[in-house]
PDB file of all heavy atoms in Angstrom:
ATOM      1  N   ARG A 243      -5.744   4.499 -26.229  1.00 97.00           N
ATOM      2  CA  ARG A 243      -5.334   5.720 -25.549  1.00 97.00           C
ATOM      3  C   ARG A 243      -3.863   6.005 -25.823  1.00 97.00           C
ATOM      4  O   ARG A 243      -3.038   5.101 -25.760  1.00 97.00           O
ATOM      5  CB  ARG A 243      -5.574   5.495 -24.055  1.00 97.00           C
ATOM      6  CG  ARG A 243      -4.922   6.517 -23.200  1.00 97.00           C
ATOM      7  CD  ARG A 243      -5.441   6.547 -21.803  1.00 97.00           C
ATOM      8  NE  ARG A 243      -5.252   7.905 -21.404  1.00 97.00           N
ATOM      9  CZ  ARG A 243      -5.930   8.567 -20.510  1.00 97.00           C
ATOM     10  NH1 ARG A 243      -6.885   7.977 -19.872  1.00 97.00           N
ATOM     11  NH2 ARG A 243      -5.684   9.806 -20.240  1.00 97.00           N
ATOM     12  N   GLU A 244      -3.548   7.237 -26.142  1.00 97.00           N
ATOM     13  CA  GLU A 244      -2.150   7.645 -26.284  1.00 97.00           C
ATOM     14  C   GLU A 244      -1.972   8.927 -25.504  1.00 97.00           C
ATOM     15  O   GLU A 244      -2.476   9.979 -25.909  1.00 97.00           O
ATOM     16  CB  GLU A 244      -1.832   7.899 -27.752  1.00 97.00           C
ATOM     17  CG  GLU A 244      -0.664   7.075 -28.244  1.00 97.00           C
ATOM     18  CD  GLU A 244      -0.499   7.218 -29.733  1.00 97.00           C
ATOM     19  OE1 GLU A 244      -0.041   8.310 -30.137  1.00 97.00           O
ATOM     20  OE2 GLU A 244      -0.828   6.272 -30.460  1.00 97.00           O
ATOM     21  N   GLY A 245      -1.326   8.855 -24.360  1.00 95.00           N
ATOM     22  CA  GLY A 245      -1.208  10.035 -23.500  1.00 95.00           C
ATOM     23  C   GLY A 245      -2.593  10.516 -23.095  1.00 95.00           C
ATOM     24  O   GLY A 245      -3.423   9.749 -22.614  1.00 95.00           O
ATOM     25  N   SER A 246      -2.858  11.802 -23.375  1.00 97.00           N
ATOM     26  CA  SER A 246      -4.164  12.323 -22.975  1.00 97.00           C
ATOM     27  C   SER A 246      -5.189  12.268 -24.120  1.00 97.00           C
ATOM     28  O   SER A 246      -6.277  12.823 -24.007  1.00 97.00           O
ATOM     29  CB  SER A 246      -4.012  13.755 -22.460  1.00 97.00           C
ATOM     30  OG  SER A 246      -3.489  14.551 -23.487  1.00 97.00           O
ATOM     31  N   ASP A 247      -4.825  11.587 -25.221  1.00 98.00           N
ATOM     32  CA  ASP A 247      -5.775  11.429 -26.338  1.00 98.00           C
ATOM     33  C   ASP A 247      -6.428  10.052 -26.263  1.00 98.00           C
ATOM     34  O   ASP A 247      -5.742   9.035 -26.109  1.00 98.00           O
ATOM     35  CB  ASP A 247      -5.057  11.538 -27.684  1.00 98.00           C
ATOM     36  CG  ASP A 247      -4.383  12.890 -27.836  1.00 98.00           C
ATOM     37  OD1 ASP A 247      -4.861  13.855 -27.202  1.00 98.00           O
ATOM     38  OD2 ASP A 247      -3.376  12.964 -28.570  1.00 98.00           O
ATOM     39  N   VAL A 248      -7.742  10.022 -26.401  1.00 98.00           N
ATOM     40  CA  VAL A 248      -8.455   8.739 -26.356  1.00 98.00           C
ATOM     41  C   VAL A 248      -9.301   8.610 -27.620  1.00 98.00           C
ATOM     42  O   VAL A 248     -10.052   9.532 -27.974  1.00 98.00           O
ATOM     43  CB  VAL A 248      -9.342   8.639 -25.090  1.00 98.00           C
ATOM     44  CG1 VAL A 248     -10.148   7.358 -25.112  1.00 98.00           C
ATOM     45  CG2 VAL A 248      -8.494   8.695 -23.820  1.00 98.00           C
ATOM     46  N   PHE A 249      -9.155   7.471 -28.291  1.00 98.00           N
ATOM     47  CA  PHE A 249      -9.934   7.180 -29.499  1.00 98.00           C
ATOM     48  C   PHE A 249     -11.018   6.179 -29.100  1.00 98.00           C
ATOM     49  O   PHE A 249     -10.730   5.150 -28.489  1.00 98.00           O
ATOM     50  CB  PHE A 249      -8.989   6.579 -30.553  1.00 98.00           C
ATOM     51  CG  PHE A 249      -9.699   5.995 -31.729  1.00 98.00           C
ATOM     52  CD1 PHE A 249     -10.021   6.796 -32.829  1.00 98.00           C
ATOM     53  CD2 PHE A 249     -10.065   4.654 -31.741  1.00 98.00           C
ATOM     54  CE1 PHE A 249     -10.691   6.239 -33.919  1.00 98.00           C
ATOM     55  CE2 PHE A 249     -10.732   4.109 -32.831  1.00 98.00           C
ATOM     56  CZ  PHE A 249     -11.042   4.905 -33.915  1.00 98.00           C
ATOM     57  N   ILE A 250     -12.263   6.491 -29.406  1.00 98.00           N
ATOM     58  CA  ILE A 250     -13.360   5.587 -29.039  1.00 98.00           C
ATOM     59  C   ILE A 250     -14.219   5.306 -30.268  1.00 98.00           C
ATOM     60  O   ILE A 250     -14.792   6.224 -30.866  1.00 98.00           O
ATOM     61  CB  ILE A 250     -14.257   6.197 -27.933  1.00 98.00           C
ATOM     62  CG1 ILE A 250     -13.427   6.509 -26.682  1.00 98.00           C
ATOM     63  CG2 ILE A 250     -15.405   5.245 -27.572  1.00 98.00           C
ATOM     64  CD1 ILE A 250     -14.169   7.306 -25.616  1.00 98.00           C
ATOM     65  N   ASP A 251     -14.268   4.023 -30.633  1.00 98.00           N
ATOM     66  CA  ASP A 251     -15.189   3.608 -31.698  1.00 98.00           C
ATOM     67  C   ASP A 251     -16.272   2.778 -31.023  1.00 98.00           C
ATOM     68  O   ASP A 251     -16.074   1.608 -30.704  1.00 98.00           O
ATOM     69  CB  ASP A 251     -14.424   2.790 -32.749  1.00 98.00           C
ATOM     70  CG  ASP A 251     -15.347   2.310 -33.861  1.00 98.00           C
ATOM     71  OD1 ASP A 251     -16.580   2.493 -33.728  1.00 98.00           O
ATOM     72  OD2 ASP A 251     -14.841   1.749 -34.851  1.00 98.00           O
ATOM     73  N   ALA A 252     -17.408   3.415 -30.790  1.00 97.00           N
ATOM     74  CA  ALA A 252     -18.500   2.721 -30.085  1.00 97.00           C
ATOM     75  C   ALA A 252     -19.628   2.385 -31.044  1.00 97.00           C
ATOM     76  O   ALA A 252     -20.787   2.289 -30.663  1.00 97.00           O
ATOM     77  CB  ALA A 252     -19.004   3.608 -28.942  1.00 97.00           C
ATOM     78  N   THR A 253     -19.264   2.207 -32.317  1.00 96.00           N
ATOM     79  CA  THR A 253     -20.309   1.978 -33.326  1.00 96.00           C
ATOM     80  C   THR A 253     -20.869   0.562 -33.259  1.00 96.00           C
ATOM     81  O   THR A 253     -21.897   0.280 -33.852  1.00 96.00           O
ATOM     82  CB  THR A 253     -19.754   2.243 -34.744  1.00 96.00           C
ATOM     83  OG1 THR A 253     -18.529   1.507 -34.885  1.00 96.00           O
ATOM     84  CG2 THR A 253     -19.469   3.715 -34.949  1.00 96.00           C
ATOM     85  N   LYS A 254     -20.142  -0.341 -32.541  1.00 94.00           N
ATOM     86  CA  LYS A 254     -20.659  -1.725 -32.490  1.00 94.00           C
ATOM     87  C   LYS A 254     -20.952  -2.150 -31.052  1.00 94.00           C
ATOM     88  O   LYS A 254     -20.714  -3.306 -30.671  1.00 94.00           O
ATOM     89  CB  LYS A 254     -19.649  -2.669 -33.138  1.00 94.00           C
ATOM     90  CG  LYS A 254     -19.464  -2.375 -34.609  1.00 94.00           C
ATOM     91  CD  LYS A 254     -18.942  -3.547 -35.385  1.00 94.00           C
ATOM     92  CE  LYS A 254     -18.960  -3.289 -36.884  1.00 94.00           C
ATOM     93  NZ  LYS A 254     -18.187  -2.103 -37.305  1.00 94.00           N
ATOM     94  N   VAL A 255     -21.465  -1.246 -30.267  1.00 94.00           N
ATOM     95  CA  VAL A 255     -21.796  -1.577 -28.880  1.00 94.00           C
ATOM     96  C   VAL A 255     -22.989  -2.526 -28.867  1.00 94.00           C
ATOM     97  O   VAL A 255     -23.963  -2.316 -29.581  1.00 94.00           O
ATOM     98  CB  VAL A 255     -22.102  -0.260 -28.111  1.00 94.00           C
ATOM     99  CG1 VAL A 255     -22.875  -0.526 -26.863  1.00 94.00           C
ATOM    100  CG2 VAL A 255     -20.805   0.460 -27.784  1.00 94.00           C
ATOM    101  N   TYR A 256     -22.873  -3.618 -28.122  1.00 92.00           N
ATOM    102  CA  TYR A 256     -23.958  -4.623 -28.125  1.00 92.00           C
ATOM    103  C   TYR A 256     -24.363  -5.046 -26.719  1.00 92.00           C
ATOM    104  O   TYR A 256     -25.465  -5.502 -26.476  1.00 92.00           O
ATOM    105  CB  TYR A 256     -23.501  -5.881 -28.882  1.00 92.00           C
ATOM    106  CG  TYR A 256     -22.235  -6.476 -28.302  1.00 92.00           C
ATOM    107  CD1 TYR A 256     -22.269  -7.417 -27.267  1.00 92.00           C
ATOM    108  CD2 TYR A 256     -20.985  -6.054 -28.759  1.00 92.00           C
ATOM    109  CE1 TYR A 256     -21.103  -7.917 -26.713  1.00 92.00           C
ATOM    110  CE2 TYR A 256     -19.820  -6.548 -28.206  1.00 92.00           C
ATOM    111  CZ  TYR A 256     -19.885  -7.474 -27.195  1.00 92.00           C
ATOM    112  OH  TYR A 256     -18.736  -7.965 -26.632  1.00 92.00           O
TER     113      TYR A 256
END
Side-chain angles (χ1 to χ4, degrees):
R243 167 164 209 154
E244 236 173 73
S246 60
D247 300 334
V248 176
F249 169 88
I250 301 171
D251 179 352
T253 51
K254 296 203 172 58
V255 161
Y256 57 88

